[in-house]
Amino acid sequence: GLPLGVSCQVRAGGFVFSSTKEGSMKPQIAKGKEVNLRSSQGEIRRTVVDVLENVVLVCKPEEYEQAKNEQRQPVFIGFPLDDVIT
């Protein structure tokens, strides 16, 4: 194992997991990847547009592809990182 306070990153399926000094694994979500989120309507699947400190910016997968094809920024909404399931 790593000594406390040493960071380690392992890439797995679009996610990067960083080991914290507490030893827990926190996912760092990659742009352009689809994730499941907890919402007021239950679990939803969205595409990541960007990740800020404690917020993930997401849009519907169709909007992400359409914006990419039209070379524009997708219309997105922010979710707390804690609401990311996978």
Side-chain angles (χ1 to χ4, degrees):
L2 293 171
L4 292 180
V6 174
S7 179
C8 174
Q9 293 191 345
V10 179
R11 294 189 180 275
F15 294 91
V16 177
F17 293 91
S18 295
S19 178
T20 64
K21 60 183 173 181
E22 291 83 28
S24 64
M25 297 292 270
K26 180 182 176 186
Q28 295 179 347
I29 298 95
K31 294 178 187 178
K33 299 297 179 185
E34 289 189 19
V35 294
N36 292 325
L37 301 162
R38 277 188 289 271
S39 77
S40 59
Q41 290 102 24
E43 189 173 316
I44 58 173
R45 187 137 183 98
R46 295 292 184 262
T47 301
V48 176
V49 175
D50 204 354
V51 182
L52 307 178
E53 188 173 329
N54 294 313
V55 176
V56 60
L57 305 178
V58 296
C59 65
K60 291 183 178 180
E62 311 82 52
E63 168 61 14
Y64 188 85
E65 287 304 315
Q66 187 174 358
K68 192 165 121 180
N69 292 337
E70 296 173 1
Q71 298 181 351
R72 64 173 172 82
Q73 181 76 13
V75 176
F76 57 83
I77 187 168
F79 275 82
L81 275 178
D82 291 343
D83 285 346
V84 175
I85 298 167
T86 56

